[in-house]
Amino acid sequence: MYEIVRYEGGVYKNNIFKEWIEDIGGFIIQEHIMQLDVYMTLAVPQNELENLREEAKKYKGKIIETPLAGTEIAVVAPSLSRHHLPHTACDISEYLRRFGAKPNMIGLARGVGRDIAQLREKEKRLIEEHDLAVYVMGNFEDCIKNKTHLFDVDIPVVITGGPQTLDIPYPYVGDLGRRSHRLRHGEEIRALRKMVEVITELINERRRELSYDPPIVPPVVVKDEIEKQVDEVYSILSPMPIVTQLDGLRVKLDYDKYAEKISNVKVKNYKLSDIAEIKRSEMKNYILIKIKPKSEVEFEMREKNE
C-alpha cells in the first residue's frame, strides 16, 4: 500500500530528491513550483515513510500528513443561487483541499424548496462517482429534515448545517449553516475541524474495507502508466489532469476520443481494460476508471484460462 503525503521545500537539489522518490518506488502525483518554493503531493510505500522524512530534512523540506489525500469529494449545495452559495460551500471546499482532498462543487438543479426538492438521476450518478459527498445545507432544522431524500446515494455522506445538533440518520456537523461572511470565526473554524475529523473517519473506514480485497493495482500506479503512455494528458490545462480516488481515477480527456487508447494502456502484465471498468463520466464527458478488486481479476483470469 502507498501513503500519500505533501512535501514542502525549496528548489535546491529538487531534481535529486525527485530521483530518490522514484528509486524507492514512489510517485509524484502533483508538483507546483512557486518562485523558490516547491510543493509536491507524493505517494510512497508505507514502509518508506520514515526514510522520506529523514531525506526531506537534507533539502530543508518537511513532510505534511494529508489524511484525505488520494480522495475526490463532492461538495453538494441545494442550488448555485446566492440563497445557498457562495461562502459556506466555498470555504468548506477550500478547507478540504488543505487536507489533500480534491473537492468538486455540485449545485443541484431542483434542490430548492422544502416540499419540492428533488435529486435527479443524473445528479445522483455524478455524486456517486466520488469517494464521499458533503451536503452543505442551511440554517433551518425543519428544512434539512424534509430534504433527507437528497442524501440517498450509494457513497458515504456528511451533512453540514446551522443547527448544532440534528436527529437524522446521517453523520451531521453543526454550526456550518448559511452565512453572509467567510468562515473565519472561532466556532466556525472548530466546526470545520470537526467536519474533517468526521470525513477522515469515514474515509479510513472505507480504506479498511478496501484493504480486505484491494484493487489489483493501486490507482497511483495506473496514473503513472497513463502519463507515460498517453501523451495527450500533457495537453490538458487543468491543474490535475488525472485525479486519483480510493479505487480508481478520473482522466480529464474526452471519452469518445480517448477511451480506446486508455483501455489499451499496459499496467504491469495487464491491459487496463482487463483490470478496470472504463466508463463515461457524468462530468464533462471525462473518462472514469474503477479498478477491479484483486479477487475479481484472479477469478476472471482463471475462467479465461479454462
Side-chain angles (χ1 to χ4, degrees):
M1 294 293 289
Y2 287 83
E3 191 80 23
I4 300 179
V5 295
R6 190 169 74 244
Y7 168 79
E8 295 182 2
V11 295
Y12 174 70
K13 292 189 176 181
N14 188 49
N15 288 337
I16 299 175
F17 181 59
K18 286 159 67 174
E19 288 177 5
W20 183 87
I21 292 168
E22 293 175 0
D23 290 341
I24 63 169
F27 302 94
I28 298 169
I29 297 176
Q30 193 177 23
E31 180 181 17
H32 291 297
I33 299 177
M34 301 175 65
Q35 294 183 354
L36 298 178
D37 296 322
V38 176
Y39 302 90
M40 291 191 291
T41 303
L42 311 173
V44 296
Q46 287 182 337
N47 59 346
E48 294 286 353
L49 193 55
E50 286 304 316
N51 293 334
L52 177 67
R53 295 184 197 278
E54 293 301 317
E55 191 70 17
K57 290 178 183 177
K58 297 179 183 178
Y59 307 103
K60 308 300 181 183
K62 59 181 179 179
I63 300 298
I64 300 172
E65 291 190 13
T66 49
L68 301 180
T71 63
E72 190 176 29
I73 295 178
V75 180
V76 185
S79 77
L80 291 175
S81 67
R82 63 181 181 179
H83 183 68
H84 294 104
L85 282 176
H87 295 306
T88 307
C90 291
D91 287 338
I92 287 174
S93 182
E94 178 59 32
Y95 202 75
L96 290 174
R97 192 176 287 113
R98 293 182 187 180
F99 291 86
K102 169 63 176 71
N104 292 320
M105 292 184 60
I106 299 173
L108 303 182
R110 296 174 182 172
V112 179
R114 186 182 63 179
D115 300 322
I116 61 173
Q118 299 177 16
L119 180 66
R120 297 172 61 203
E121 189 61 34
K122 182 176 180 180
E123 293 170 337
K124 183 178 179 180
R125 291 197 302 269
L126 174 58
I127 293 170
E128 288 174 349
E129 290 179 3
H130 297 75
D131 294 308
L132 180 141
V134 179
Y135 281 83
V136 184
M137 306 304 287
N139 293 338
F140 301 110
E141 179 177 336
D142 187 55
C143 180
I144 299 174
K145 286 184 175 180
N146 277 276
K147 289 185 177 182
T148 53
H149 58 281
L150 299 179
F151 316 146
D152 185 20
V153 293
D154 293 331
I155 59 172
V157 298
V158 174
I159 317 302
T160 67
Q164 288 190 347
T165 59
L166 199 61
D167 185 20
I168 56 174
Y170 299 96
Y172 176 78
V173 179
D175 290 327
L176 287 174
R178 196 160 60 244
R179 297 285 191 275
S180 59
H181 58 267
R182 299 294 301 274
L183 301 181
R184 57 178 179 269
H185 297 152
E187 68 276 7
E188 294 164 347
I189 299 299
R190 286 190 288 272
L192 287 172
R193 288 174 183 162
K194 182 182 177 183
M195 178 195 69
V196 169
E197 289 174 5
V198 173
I199 292 172
T200 301
E201 186 177 336
L202 291 172
I203 290 293
N204 288 340
E205 184 179 337
R206 175 64 178 144
R207 283 183 173 133
R208 281 192 296 271
E209 291 175 3
L210 287 173
S211 68
Y212 299 132
D213 190 10
I216 184 72
V217 178
V220 290
V221 175
V222 178
K223 175 182 180 294
D224 186 60
E225 291 299 332
I226 291 174
E227 289 174 341
K228 289 176 180 176
Q229 300 176 43
V230 182
D231 295 334
E232 287 81 0
V233 167
Y234 295 100
S235 65
I236 301 173
L237 299 179
S238 170
M240 291 189 72
I242 303 176
V243 180
T244 57
Q245 301 175 342
L246 292 178
D247 60 348
L249 309 93
R250 187 189 304 279
V251 183
K252 297 180 181 178
L253 288 171
D254 187 83
Y255 179 88
D256 297 316
K257 291 181 180 179
Y258 299 104
E260 185 176 352
K261 190 168 185 178
I262 293 292
S263 300
N264 292 324
V265 168
K266 294 290 184 182
V267 182
K268 294 187 176 179
N269 297 324
Y270 307 102
K271 192 166 78 166
L272 186 56
S273 58
D274 294 335
I275 62 169
E277 294 180 25
I278 299 172
K279 302 183 288 187
R280 186 192 306 273
S281 171
E282 295 291 345
M283 183 187 296
K284 298 183 180 178
N285 207 37
Y286 290 150
I287 300 170
L288 186 69
I289 301 171
K290 289 295 181 181
I291 305 170
K292 297 176 183 178
K294 185 177 181 180
S295 61
E296 183 179 343
V297 174
E298 290 175 348
F299 177 76
E300 290 176 354
M301 291 299 177
R302 283 196 302 269
E303 280 199 332
K304 189 181 292 185
N305 293 333
E306 291 173 1

